Amino acid sequence: MSIAGRAIGPGHPPYLIAEMSGNHNGDLGRALALVDAAKEAGADAVKLQTYTADTITIAHDGPGFRLEGGLWGGRTLHDLYREAHTPWEWHVPLFERARALGLTIFSSPFDETAIELLEELDAPAFKIASFELIDLPLIRRAARSGKPLIISTGLATLGEIEEAVAAAGDVPLALLHCVSGYPTPPEDCNLRTIPHLAQTFAGVTAGLSDHSQGIAVPVAAAAMGATIIEKHFTLSRADGGVDSAFSLEPAEFKAMADAVRTATAAMGRVDYTVKPSEVGGRDYRRSLYVVADVEAGEPLTAANVRSIRPGFGMPPKHLPDVLGRRAVRRLNRGEPLSWDMLAPPTQEDRHG
């Protein structure tokens, strides 16, 4: 698949998405600074979330509407989303800033009105959040745009993922392995799921949407073949914010970007040939050398021939074949051994 002309998939560097989420802390200036920092940190794209508290839930304090435990325990859904949402009037300046920087920008829509707004802004792709994976009408509406879809799979069963893929139809599609734990313990990440997604859903690009702390998990995911990596992004965790606890600061995102691209390049292919960086090293492997002077006609022994470095002599595997053979000339200590130094074996050499 490709987004805004950037090819994504095997053979290309991982596509790195900086997820702003609610880390703007309700300040447009901070949101614009996050866009700037994402570009500087090496992100390929910055992603928003397009909803209002009223489009994603209702103001209600009944059973199920107040969160229990975790980072947001005790808060109602409506209160949390009112704080975290990105105001719709911010979308134009944020899109303009990203495009001026040459940074791709798109968003996760949470209802049809959000899709309509993003279509007006000519967003180059849509992201379906994990909690919306089961909203098949939302996926079908996003797919009708013809734009690439990225779907996170947190909380979903394999059957639910299959239904989401079917709802997406024929648009270019990426599935991001995701664990919707905030933050996610590394032992819950199960990154072997990434290649399984690619194998199970032919033609689908597989990646990771990560909520773990630090950069180890995304780097490991790159080594597992993730071609998209999404990570929450903040200017400073110390400034707080609804998602700050599991977000990367700019220097950390830059370190992740460098590391995942290095990990991907290092994966390479199955190859047993000598690499250009190894060529000089072959001269310093072990080989057979004269380690004590040998007069012409004297036999070679373990005392005057050994396997040592460097590698300009005969391969060490021939040591049993040369021991007992006689020198055709004087051999000096430090000479690499070669067959032309040795007389043909006699019956006496063979049997002692």
Side-chain angles (χ1 to χ4, degrees), residues 15-309:
Y15 190 73
L16 304 182
I17 302 171
E19 166 64 81
M20 182 185 300
S21 185
N23 286 329
H24 48 65
N25 294 357
D27 180 352
L28 176 58
R30 183 182 178 91
L32 292 167
L34 277 163
V35 173
D36 296 343
K39 173 66 175 180
E40 184 68 22
D44 294 292
V46 64
K47 193 184 76 64
L48 313 178
Q49 295 182 2
T50 305
Y51 64 85
T52 68
D54 291 324
T55 62
I56 200 169
T57 189
I58 59 173
H60 191 60
D61 197 17
F65 286 87
R66 186 172 292 277
L67 295 161
E68 298 180 6
L71 291 176
W72 309 299
R75 303 188 65 176
T76 66
L77 292 174
H78 194 272
D79 177 59
L80 177 65
Y81 297 137
R82 185 174 63 247
E83 176 186 343
H85 86 288
T86 300
W88 288 23
E89 62 269 21
W90 291 8
H91 282 60
V92 168
L94 288 171
F95 270 65
E96 289 177 346
R97 176 66 66 87
R99 286 168 173 163
L101 295 171
L103 179 67
T104 298
I105 185 168
F106 56 95
S107 185
S108 293
F110 289 79
D111 77 321
E112 185 168 345
T113 62
I115 293 174
E116 291 170 355
L117 171 65
L118 295 169
E119 285 179 327
E120 291 173 6
L121 294 170
D122 197 24
F126 292 116
K127 165 75 189 298
I128 303 298
S130 288
F131 289 76
E132 276 59 46
L133 175 142
I134 57 173
D135 190 343
L136 301 185
L138 178 67
I139 294 174
R140 293 189 188 102
R141 172 62 184 88
R144 285 203 299 274
S145 70
K147 298 177 184 292
L149 291 186
I150 301 173
I151 301 178
S152 280
T153 63
L155 305 170
T157 66
L158 186 59
E160 289 170 337
I161 297 170
E162 290 173 340
E163 291 178 341
V165 170
D170 296 329
V171 298
L173 178 64
L175 293 175
L176 303 189
H177 173 56
C178 177
V179 180
S180 295
Y182 306 98
T184 302
E187 58 270 21
D188 284 358
C189 289
N190 295 312
L191 296 179
R192 296 185 191 278
T193 308
I194 295 170
H196 185 264
L197 282 172
Q199 294 161 7
T200 303
F201 300 99
V204 167
T205 300
L208 173 71
S209 179
D210 181 47
H211 301 119
S212 72
Q213 294 171 311
I215 70 172
V217 170
V219 174
M224 295 297 296
T227 58
I228 299 174
I229 294 175
E230 179 184 67
K231 192 77 171 172
H232 283 249
F233 186 64
T234 185
L235 294 177
S236 171
R237 284 187 294 275
D239 293 343
V242 294
D243 296 332
S244 60
F246 51 90
S247 298
L248 294 182
E249 295 179 355
E252 295 167 330
F253 196 99
K254 178 64 166 62
M256 181 196 74
D258 293 342
V260 300
R261 287 165 179 153
T262 298
T264 300
M267 290 298 292
R269 63 187 188 279
V270 176
D271 184 3
Y272 295 101
T273 62
V274 176
K275 313 307 179 292
S277 60
E278 294 182 299
V279 170
R282 291 176 67 87
D283 293 340
Y284 295 95
R285 298 195 297 178
R286 298 179 78 96
S287 67
L288 299 184
Y289 265 75
V290 179
V291 296
D293 293 343
V294 181
E295 296 300 328
E298 284 188 8
L300 303 188
T301 69
N304 55 37
V305 172
R306 284 173 46 204
S307 168
I308 63 170
R309 297 183 183 185

